[in-house]
Amino acid sequence: MAQRTTEIIVGLFMIAGCAALLFLALQVSGLSPKSAESTYTIYANFNDTGGLTPRGRVSMAGVTVGTIESISLNKETFQARVEMSIHSDVDNIPSDSSAVIRTSGLLGEQYIDISIGAEMDSLKEGDTFYSTQSAMNLERLISNFASGR
Amino acid sequence: MNSPAYISLKDVVFSRSGRRIFDGVSLDIPRGKITAIMGPSGTGKTTLLRLIGGQLKPDSGSVVVDGHEVPKLKRKALYSLREKMGMLFQSGALFTDLSVFENVAFPLRVHTKLPEDMIRDIVLMKLEAVGLRGARHLMPSELSGGMTRRVALARSIALDPELIMYDEPFAGQDPIAMGVLVKLIRDLNSSMGLTSVLVSHDVPESLSICHYACIISDGKVIGEGTPDELRAHPSGQVQQFLQGQPDGPVPFHYPAEGAAQDFGLSGGAS
Amino acid sequence: MIERIAAFGRLGLDIVSSFGRSGRFLAGVLGGVPRPATGFPLLLKQLYAVGVLSLAIIVVSGLFIGMVLGLQGYTILSDYGSEAAIGQMIALTLVRELGPVVTALLFAGRAGSALTAEIGLMKATEQLSSMEMMGVDPLRRVIAPRLWAGFIAMPVLAVIFSVVGIWGGMLVGVDWLGVFEGSFWGNMQSSVDFVDDVLNGVIKSIVFGFVCAWIAVYQGYDCVPTSAGISSATTKTVVYSSLAVLGLDFVLTAVMFGDF
């Protein structure tokens, strides 16, 4: 086969590979082209984070507005402290909003849903949610129900 | 530098997988002459060529080619020495994915930076020398055995080497192809002043073109000299080989226990 | 009994020495810096033979594996009423595991065996020897481009495999079984991470590519130069590559995804 033809075919092959990688990046893993998006960090304390994991999503009204950065234990209050980064264009979360841990579907991942409050002030970098609602623990729910409390 | 011996082997001992192939072989190959190395199959004639080419290293003894001690050469020096050697392999060893033209051009492209039109001229000249200028577009799979060997010959002389080694050039050739090869080897030697080493067990053809011959058997040189000297050699082993007698100092039978015993005839096993 | 032990010891020594030889072989291949002017066309030719010619089998098997994943995933997940998670399931299985592993297994069968047979045949017909006698190192001229081609082609093939598989899964899940397309992609995007999943998969396939190509060219170069020797070397290539890929996959998975 002529050298030129081989070159072209191999070139197409490599391009196909790059295109496939690009597809995996954009369409499959949802990596947005403006990757260096600016965010601000807020915190929330939970009694029980259940199966919440870092990299989980934070949403408002079902729209993803940020991600969970880390989950650590506060040794004084024995509560879980969740650090999350919120897209900076969502800068008007009312300061009395509460963070709720929910599950998507029966088997889906757990995520933090922000239910909107009514205050005019909004949460700033480094602020902490005033009220939170921990993960719904099915087991505890059943045992509570059984013991009649 | 200009000693009469181009290659000299001294007390070469070589063994492979526990079997001793050479047991103290000493041999001088004169410059500019055709030397035939003959011997029964399996005596390691091809191994000898590989020792000269540095593909194998002897266990002890020295192999000197053109003043260089081959087993001690560093990789780079060895490769540059090999550019002065050509070797014709028994199977021809043409590169199956390249055409005849590209096969002959291969050493030129790798070792020289000649422009394309010059490479073309040289390749066609070499192909002309072996009478295959018209076959340049064929692929190796389309060639007959004799043509394959001629193309391989053209390739091994592409760089105008000082030494050319032929590994069984006549094996499995029809009489015409054999005649062509005999003529080519003789012509190349006289026209280019090549030192030629010919490994073969075809006695008449080899003796007809060589200036000097030696016979190797059982890891030793058993006879050497000009063809005429060899024909008059007193050793029975040499005579048996030259005349192709089935039985003699080299027995017809592979060593075995007594035939009677083997067939169960001796002394009645009930 | 003593003989048995001795034979066992010899076997061990043989294995160790063949590891040693293959390591020295690798050093010989990668030791020289290839000259770009001569090396590149050779590499290109091998990329064609190793990569482009393997593309058909990769695409077809990727499509079928994706479709099977779609069907199986749907039947299992619909029991829990979470068919929408099918996208995430298909993408994660393909990108993390099946893409690199199945591609490597197919590669060993398709390209690896061909490489071994080709090099073994070149050895049997004395082409490697004659190259050496022409003052050309066959390790660099013949082996190195093939090794590099395997190394480069494998991740490309694995990525293509994953993409075709995801497309096949979408074909079954969305177009045929009627999973809502938005949740198919949405679930996938929220659970697949580019660095942790996609890039780790690519790293896996780079490792596999290197190992498969190394085994293939080494077996070819080291084979007994007869027809029986070549055929046994070809078999060895496929067996050893498959075992190496599966074993390494476990190790790599444990390192990459193990800590959670």
Side-chain angles (χ1 to χ4, degrees):
Chain A
M1 181 175 304
Q3 175 78 25
R4 185 98 191 120
T5 327
T6 315
E7 273 173 21
I8 292 170
I9 294 176
V10 173
L12 286 177
F13 173 68
M14 298 306 287
I15 290 171
C18 292
L21 191 65
L22 204 68
F23 176 81
L24 285 184
L26 298 183
Q27 182 72 357
V28 174
S29 61
L31 200 72
S32 62
K34 38 169 187 172
S35 57
E37 198 170 20
S38 62
T39 56
Y40 65 100
T41 309
I42 51 178
Y43 300 91
N45 295 319
F46 291 98
N47 288 327
D48 182 4
T49 55
L52 206 65
T53 53
R55 289 211 291 119
R57 70 193 165 96
V58 178
S59 71
M60 274 171 85
V63 180
T64 303
V65 294
T67 52
I68 297 166
E69 289 295 323
S70 69
I71 300 170
S72 57
L73 184 70
N74 183 335
K75 281 201 267 187
E76 284 161 24
T77 61
F78 296 107
Q79 279 187 316
R81 186 169 173 77
V82 175
E83 179 189 343
M84 55 194 117
S85 46
I86 307 293
H87 298 171
S88 44
D89 51 339
V90 187
D91 55 357
N92 56 346
I93 303 174
S95 58
D96 64 340
S97 302
S98 59
V100 183
I101 297 179
R102 291 190 194 281
T103 311
S104 57
L106 194 57
L107 288 176
E109 287 196 0
Q110 290 192 306
Y111 65 98
I112 292 183
D113 186 49
I114 300 173
S115 49
I116 317 295
E119 278 282 344
M120 296 304 286
D121 293 346
S122 46
L123 288 168
K124 301 268 180 320
E125 164 83 32
D127 284 354
T128 304
F129 277 102
Y130 178 70
S131 73
T132 61
Q133 189 178 326
S134 292
M136 180 185 68
N137 190 325
L138 213 57
E139 228 171 289
R140 192 183 301 156
L141 210 67
I142 292 170
S143 72
N144 284 356
F145 181 73
S147 63
R149 279 194 285 150
Chain B
M1 195 66 193
N2 227 344
S3 66
Y6 186 77
I7 301 171
S8 91
L9 281 74
K10 197 159 279 171
D11 299 324
V12 171
V13 176
F14 180 79
S15 46
R16 187 157 44 189
S17 49
R19 205 166 68 89
R20 186 153 281 203
I21 294 172
F22 295 124
D23 192 7
V25 168
S26 296
L27 188 63
D28 281 338
I29 292 172
R31 184 183 294 270
K33 296 269 163 55
I34 301 177
T35 305
I37 297 171
M38 295 184 287
S41 311
T43 45
K45 301 186 295 293
T46 307
T47 310
L48 192 73
L49 295 187
R50 287 179 192 264
L51 285 171
I52 294 172
Q55 286 185 307
L56 297 171
K57 284 195 197 319
D59 299 343
S60 67
S62 76
V63 179
V64 176
V65 176
D66 197 19
H68 301 283
E69 176 74 42
V70 175
K72 296 206 178 105
L73 284 181
K74 289 264 183 301
R75 216 187 89 91
K76 210 155 190 177
L78 181 63
Y79 275 90
S80 64
L81 177 67
R82 282 181 185 161
E83 288 174 34
K84 294 196 280 182
M85 299 180 182
M87 181 152 172
L88 180 68
F89 284 84
Q90 192 169 352
S91 61
L94 295 181
F95 302 130
T96 38
D97 53 344
L98 300 178
S99 69
V100 165
F101 182 91
E102 285 300 322
N103 259 290
V104 180
F106 181 83
L108 294 167
R109 290 195 202 283
V110 175
H111 289 303
T112 67
K113 290 203 168 69
L114 295 176
E116 189 57 38
D117 51 342
M118 206 147 156
I119 287 182
R120 184 175 175 277
D121 291 350
I122 296 177
V123 171
L124 291 185
M125 248 163 61
K126 301 294 175 190
L127 281 175
E128 174 76 25
V130 297
L132 289 175
R133 190 163 45 83
R136 72 185 102 150
H137 297 303
L138 297 181
M139 292 305 281
S141 54
E142 298 167 305
L143 300 176
S144 72
M147 281 158 80
T148 305
R149 233 164 269 192
R150 278 149 73 187
V151 173
L153 186 57
R155 186 179 66 178
S156 35
I157 57 171
L159 284 173
D160 293 325
E162 296 174 8
L163 165 70
I164 183 158
M165 296 185 271
Y166 303 94
D167 186 6
E168 302 279 7
F170 310 123
Q173 298 292 315
D174 64 68
I176 301 175
M178 213 185 268
V180 170
L181 282 166
V182 167
K183 173 183 165 333
L184 280 174
I185 292 172
R186 192 184 283 145
D187 288 355
L188 281 176
N189 179 257
S190 57
S191 67
M192 294 169 67
L194 285 173
T195 304
S196 311
V197 180
L198 178 71
V199 152
S200 176
H201 49 232
D202 292 283
V203 177
E205 286 78 18
S206 306
L207 287 186
S208 73
I209 51 170
C210 70
H211 301 106
Y212 188 79
C214 82
I215 299 176
I216 294 182
S217 180
D218 296 329
K220 285 196 180 349
V221 176
I222 56 167
E224 56 183 315
T226 62
D228 290 333
E229 281 168 13
L230 274 183
R231 285 191 190 100
H233 203 277
S235 156
Q237 222 176 332
V238 171
Q239 290 307 323
Q240 186 198 354
F241 179 75
L242 289 183
Q243 290 160 24
Q245 292 153 343
D247 211 348
V250 179
F252 171 68
H253 287 290
Y254 191 82
E257 48 191 319
Q261 208 181 348
D262 227 7
F263 291 117
L265 298 174
S266 78
S270 74
Chain C
M1 190 61 206
I2 298 287
E3 280 169 26
R4 289 263 179 83
I5 296 173
F8 195 69
R10 261 200 303 279
L11 185 72
L13 287 180
D14 278 353
I15 293 174
V16 172
S17 83
S18 102
F19 268 114
R21 259 179 300 150
S22 61
R24 219 177 56 185
F25 165 81
L26 189 66
V29 174
L30 301 180
V33 181
R35 277 184 300 164
T38 53
F40 191 68
L42 291 173
L43 178 65
L44 214 62
K45 204 165 154 189
Q46 292 311 317
L47 267 179
Y48 179 79
V50 165
V52 176
L53 294 184
S54 308
L55 200 56
I57 186 174
I58 294 292
V59 167
V60 172
S61 4
L63 185 67
F64 280 123
I65 284 188
M67 286 165 73
V68 167
L69 279 177
L71 271 178
Q72 290 282 16
Y74 184 83
T75 30
I76 294 168
L77 290 173
S78 65
D79 287 351
Y80 303 97
S82 37
E83 300 95 274
I86 193 175
Q88 129 189 23
M89 192 203 85
I90 292 173
L92 282 180
T93 4
L94 278 172
V95 167
R96 283 187 180 180
E97 283 299 329
L98 290 184
V101 172
V102 176
T103 308
L105 295 179
L106 292 172
F107 183 88
R110 165 66 182 73
S113 57
L115 279 180
T116 306
E118 188 192 10
I119 294 171
L121 206 64
M122 287 179 89
K123 186 178 182 183
T125 54
E126 296 176 313
Q127 292 182 43
L128 295 183
S129 238
S130 77
M131 209 174 260
E132 224 172 273
M133 285 307 298
M134 278 184 239
V136 180
D137 188 347
L139 285 185
R140 294 187 189 161
R141 176 88 192 183
V142 176
I143 308 291
R146 286 168 170 77
L147 191 71
W148 282 110
F151 188 54
I152 296 171
M154 180 78 87
V156 175
L157 289 172
V159 169
I160 293 177
F161 183 94
S162 296
V163 168
V164 174
I166 290 171
W167 184 69
M170 191 197 76
L171 212 63
V172 169
V174 175
D175 292 352
W176 183 10
L177 297 172
V179 175
F180 178 55
E181 188 168 358
S183 55
F184 181 88
W185 292 115
N187 263 324
M188 192 186 287
Q189 288 170 1
S190 68
S191 61
V192 177
D193 184 77
F194 183 68
V195 175
D196 284 4
D197 297 320
V198 177
L199 283 192
N200 273 343
V202 171
I203 289 172
K204 267 188 185 180
S205 63
I206 289 175
V207 174
F208 295 161
F210 185 72
V211 170
C212 285
W214 181 18
I215 290 177
V217 292
Y218 174 69
Q219 288 295 341
Y221 190 76
D222 197 51
C223 77
V224 183
T226 58
S227 25
I230 294 172
S231 78
S232 96
T234 313
T235 313
K236 274 188 203 160
T237 296
V238 177
V239 173
Y240 292 172
S241 308
S242 310
L243 290 180
V245 164
L246 295 173
L248 272 175
D249 182 47
F250 175 73
V251 175
L252 289 174
T253 308
V255 171
M256 288 170 175
F257 305 107
D259 52 358
F260 59 91

